Amino acid sequence: MTGKLVLLVVTVCMLAGCGPRFNPETRMYKVYGVSEFKLPEGYERVGGMSVNVEPRTWESGAFPYQTFSTTVFAKGDAYILSQTMQVSGNRYFVRPLIGSTSAKWGTGWRKNVYQLDPSNTSLEYQRYFEYIKGTGNPLASGYKVDVYDRLIGRRVITRVMFLRPDTVSGNPPMPLAKDLYILDRDDFRAR
């Protein structure tokens, strides 16, 4: 029994990307598995949080919850959110991400640039800003957001969001997670 438990823990750690998350020599921070980014100088870890997001699916009624596990880094009123989201249950998967990819930090990421207002009314973004304010850190009146995201397999999203103060960038507004990461149902009966 003990051997099986140890094997289970080791397997979960390998899948979840356990191990040291930050290498101070290279300033690389591990988001999940081989997904990592370079933490710019001056940013300090503020803490971590989890935010549930409501997915959009074609099936009404029951749907899987999605949770972004988030680590927050701050430098003044600029922030980096390092996030991982894994689809729960076996019935759903994330559609392949559409858009241009960018080679960054040794791997390929999809990159988009958006605008985000801290007074945004979406629950997802309100939770991030409430958490940041709760840590005593300041908020700018608006942010330019560089978003790097990757789909790992069919069920894990890793995302790094760089929030830099900017109220006049003219970029499109930051979409909700349910519009960026669309779920499909894996219909086992059709196989």
Side-chain angles (χ1 to χ4, degrees), residues 27-93:
R27 298 206 49 86
M28 295 301 283
Y29 183 84
K30 185 183 295 191
V31 182
Y32 181 93
V34 297
S35 297
E36 58 185 3
F37 70 96
K38 187 164 189 164
L39 187 64
E41 290 291 333
Y43 279 85
E44 297 295 328
R45 186 177 189 275
V46 171
M49 64 182 297
S50 293
V51 172
N52 291 332
V53 294
E54 181 181 332
R56 180 178 61 171
T57 64
W58 63 269
E59 179 183 10
S60 63
F63 51 80
Y65 66 88
Q66 294 172 272
T67 303
F68 273 114
S69 298
T70 305
T71 303
V72 180
F73 300 91
K75 179 181 178 183
D77 57 358
Y79 299 94
I80 298 173
L81 305 180
S82 169
Q83 303 181 298
T84 303
M85 185 268 294
Q86 185 166 1
V87 177
S88 64
N90 293 323
R91 296 178 61 189
Y92 293 90
F93 63 93

Side-chain angles (χ1 to χ4, degrees), residues 1 12 30 38 41-42 59 63-64 70 77-78 92 112 115 117 119 121 126 131-132 138-139 149 160 162 165 175 183:
M1 181 70 170
V12 168
K30 185 183 295 191
K38 187 164 189 164
E41 290 291 333
E59 179 183 10
F63 51 80
T70 305
D77 57 358
Y92 293 90
N112 286 297
Q115 188 71 23
D117 181 348
S119 63
T121 57
Q126 279 181 9
Y131 177 81
I132 289 169
L139 289 177
D149 53 11
V160 181
F162 290 84
L183 299 185

